[in-house]
Structures are given as structure tokens and as C-alpha cells.
Amino acid sequence: MNTLTLQAKVRTEVGRKTNVLRAQGLVPAVVYGADTEPQSIVIDRNQFAKMYKAAGESSLVELVIDGKNALHVLIHDYQTDPLRDEVTHVDFQSVDMKKEIEAEIQLKFVGESPAVKALGGTLMASLDEVKVKCLPSKLVRDIEVDISKLVTFDDAIRLSDLVIPEGVVILDDLHLTVVSVTAPRTEEELKALNETVVEDVTGVAVEKKKEDAAEGEEAAVPVADKKEEKKADKK
């Protein structure tokens, strides 16, 4: 088992004070779970980015706090700044190495599909991750899906076709389709699709005109009523 290591320090800053840490290239974080009380910690942003690129969310990380407390953790969640695309907070979950856990493992599509390259089809991925159960030591970053097996438009790869690491059990329905290839549209299908789009646009325009006309009529009613009221007053 190749475990990645990340250094951390106990954090006392909370609330708005954590913005000072972020300005220094640090990321506020918390760790909770097995063998630890919930702790507020801080990590280096660049180190975390490099570690996450290698580990993802389904690989074990050895979190070393203040150079002494080493915990086996998973990256449970993290937040980012949408403008700067920087990590702003991380949640780590400590796990018991002797107990099985449930986790989501990403699916990694590899190879080249003859049905796409030679026949001009479109690759249709129905799943991008799979739910599994295993000991923490058996977790992997991703599970490969070899799409070179998709030779015709009738071919499909299901969960039952995947090569799963030893000790890992898939919890999702094994009959679920992971990926397939759809045939390119014929000229007749494209023509029919375009006609449908034109009809939809025309229908929307007609409905819009009807709505505008109805609104005009509603707006005119109060004016007419006022004129009738004036006539009544004169009488």
C-alpha cells in the first residue's frame, strides 16, 4: 500500500481570522473520525494540491499533525474559491484500518474505441464512479475501464465487466451499464430533428404573441372602465 503523507499543524484561528491563513498560502481544515477527537488544523495549499492530484478522494493519506500524531485519513470534502480556483477548506475523515468502509472510486476510461474511431460513433458514459466496500488498505485512486472493447454499437461495458482490485467489493448493481457507443445520426434523423426544433421555436413565438395580446387586452380594460365611470359622473 502506497500511502501519501501530508503535514499539518493544530489551528487556533477561527472565523474571519482564517482569511489571514489563506493569504499566507495555508488552508484551514478539520479532521474527525476514528482514533481522534475533532481537531482544527491547517495545511499548506501547494502541498495539498500536489497530494490531491496523486491521491484523489479514495486514496489513503497519512496526516501527520505537529510532527507526531499520524492518522490514516480520506479527503471527505473540500471547498474552493470559484474566482481564484483555490482550495479554501478541507475535511479529513480518519479511518480504522481494521474495519471495512464504504467509499466512491472514480472510473478512469482508457484505450480507444473502434466504434468511435472507425465508425464515427459517440462515447456515452453512464457512470463516472462506483460505490465499493473494502478495508482502507485496499482503496485505490481509480478503476480503469478499457473502452477498446467497444467495437460495435451493440457493445457495452457493465460493472460486472470491470477488473476490480482484490479485496474490493462493488456495492452498485453489477448489471448497470458503465459506457457504450451510440451510432451517428442519419441525414433523415438530422432533418427530422431540425424540423422539430423549428416547430418548437415557431410554437414559442406564437404563444408569446398570444400572451402579449392577452396582456394588451387586460391593460385596456381598466381604461375603458374609467371612461364609463366619467360618463356616469356627468349624468
Side-chain angles (χ1 to χ4, degrees):
M1 177 183 66
N2 295 322
T3 304
L4 298 167
T5 301
L6 181 66
Q7 301 293 328
K9 293 182 180 180
V10 172
R11 169 170 59 91
T12 56
E13 295 86 352
V14 295
R16 294 183 178 181
K17 292 182 179 180
T18 56
N19 291 328
V20 176
L21 298 175
R22 296 185 180 98
Q24 297 172 350
L26 303 174
V27 180
V30 295
V31 57
Y32 50 83
D35 302 323
T36 182
E37 293 294 327
Q39 295 186 66
S40 297
I41 58 175
V42 63
I43 57 178
D44 181 90
R45 182 183 295 121
N46 291 333
Q47 288 183 2
F48 174 78
K50 293 178 181 178
M51 183 275 300
Y52 182 76
K53 185 177 181 180
E57 293 186 27
S58 59
S59 294
L60 276 180
V61 176
E62 188 176 70
L63 186 67
V64 181
I65 303 174
D66 286 341
K68 49 185 179 181
N69 293 333
L71 298 170
H72 288 100
V73 302
L74 292 173
I75 301 170
H76 185 262
D77 191 18
Y78 67 92
Q79 290 83 47
T80 59
D81 184 320
L83 297 178
R84 299 183 179 181
D85 193 28
E86 294 179 344
V87 176
T88 58
H89 191 275
V90 183
D91 286 10
F92 294 102
Q93 181 179 3
S94 177
V95 298
D96 186 336
M97 296 298 289
K98 297 180 180 179
K99 293 182 179 180
E100 289 187 327
I101 61 173
E102 294 183 5
E104 303 283 349
I105 296 182
Q106 290 291 315
L107 298 177
K108 181 181 179 181
F109 298 97
V110 298
E112 192 170 48
S113 166
V116 173
K117 184 178 181 181
L119 304 181
T122 301
L123 195 71
M124 300 294 291
S126 303
L127 298 174
D128 59 6
E129 62 183 18
V130 60
K131 189 174 183 178
V132 304
K133 184 177 183 178
C134 63
L135 289 171
S137 60
K138 298 295 183 180
L139 284 172
V140 294
R141 175 182 171 81
D142 49 50
I143 294 176
E144 292 190 348
V145 182
D146 184 6
I147 62 173
S148 64
K149 298 177 181 178
L150 300 174
V151 180
T152 71
F153 300 133
D154 294 325
D155 295 330
I157 297 176
R158 295 177 173 79
L159 285 179
S160 58
D161 300 319
L162 302 184
V163 179
I164 307 302
E166 183 181 355
V168 176
V169 177
I170 293 180
L171 297 179
D172 292 321
D173 185 353
L174 294 179
H175 294 94
L176 289 176
T177 297
V178 175
V179 62
S180 59
V181 178
T182 59
R185 296 182 185 274
T186 63
E187 292 184 4
E188 290 76 13
E189 290 174 331
L190 290 174
K191 183 179 179 181
L193 183 62
N194 289 332
E195 290 176 352
T196 301
V197 172
V198 171
E199 290 177 0
D200 290 343
V201 172
T202 302
V204 171
V206 171
E207 288 298 323
K208 179 63 175 175
K209 288 182 179 179
K210 289 181 179 179
E211 291 176 1
D212 292 343
E215 290 177 359
E217 292 177 358
E218 291 177 359
V221 170
V223 175
D225 290 344
K226 288 181 180 179
K227 289 182 178 180
E228 292 298 329
E229 290 176 1
K230 289 181 179 180
K231 289 180 180 180
D233 292 339
K234 289 180 180 180
K235 290 179 180 180

